[in-house]
Amino acid sequence: MSLVRVHNFAVSLDGFGTGEGQTADEPFGHAGERLHEWYVETRTFREMQGREGGSRGVDDAMAANWGSGIGAEIMGRNKFGPQRGPWQDHEWNGWWGGNPPFHTPVFVLTHHTRPSVEMEGGTTFHFVDAPPKEVLRQAREAAGGLDVRIGGGVTVVRDFLAEDLVDFMHITVVPIVLGRGERLWDGTEGLEERFRIESVSTPSGVTHVTFTRR
């Protein structure tokens, strides 16, 4: 059975995985890019952008695991874009341009379905209205035996944790306090009983915490 994985998911010290007030210009609301500054400095991120350089330490080693063995992704509508309700603009296909970094089928959870969108580089967005177990069945079928990544946002990760569907999770704790937004850990009491947990801090100031199903 393929694994269900979460990678490079950053939260603040007070547990928020995104800020308040998402817009097209601010995908993470008032948090801006503060949750992801550790990531954009890595070689992995720069290579995704077609750029050279970047750090090669522990941050990069953790970041680089994001794509290995992944055959499909599941994400929430808020990660795909800032629109709410019925789709008003079918030309909007995410923040990633014409060649998104996923290079796999991506299942976007939404109550307002629309036709699939095929992008450059092997990414195809499928818009589905289904509970976690059903969308995971579809994603596993599309993944062809490879693993499925839960890409976020916060609500989607929480929903899959609530259904006990996550096998591995990499959370990066960033030393900032957001105070408001969407909190990852709400309703997850006792989570540590289901996972082996390890952590490592790096010179960038973040702490990488991994959760591996027992």
Side-chain angles (χ1 to χ4, degrees), residues 97-120:
N99 187 1
F102 311 106
H103 310 304
T104 67
V106 177
F107 293 81
V108 181
L109 292 170
T110 174
H111 293 304
H112 301 275
T113 59
R114 54 179 275 194
S116 297
V117 178
E118 185 173 348
M119 307 291 287
E120 297 176 22

Side-chain angles (χ1 to χ4, degrees), residues 1 10 22-23 38 86 108 154 159 164 178 181-182 188 204-205 212:
M1 179 70 71
Q22 183 191 56
T23 67
W38 71 272
V108 181
V154 173
D159 287 348
D164 197 22
L178 290 179
E182 294 188 49
T188 63
S204 68
T212 305

Side-chain angles (χ1 to χ4, degrees), residues 1-6 132-133 136 140 148 150 157-170 190-198 209-214:
M1 179 70 71
S2 64
L3 299 179
V4 178
R5 296 158 41 189
V6 176
K133 288 183 180 178
L136 178 56
R140 277 190 160 135
V148 175
I150 307 300
V157 174
R158 271 205 318 256
D159 287 348
F160 276 78
L161 286 172
E163 295 286 337
D164 197 22
L165 297 175
V166 176
D167 299 300
F168 175 85
M169 184 164 59
H170 163 219
L191 183 70
E192 69 281 357
E193 298 174 3
R194 291 151 44 189
F195 294 91
R196 296 192 306 274
I197 302 175
E198 300 179 8
V209 187
T210 59
F211 299 73
T212 305
R213 181 187 289 277
R214 293 186 182 276

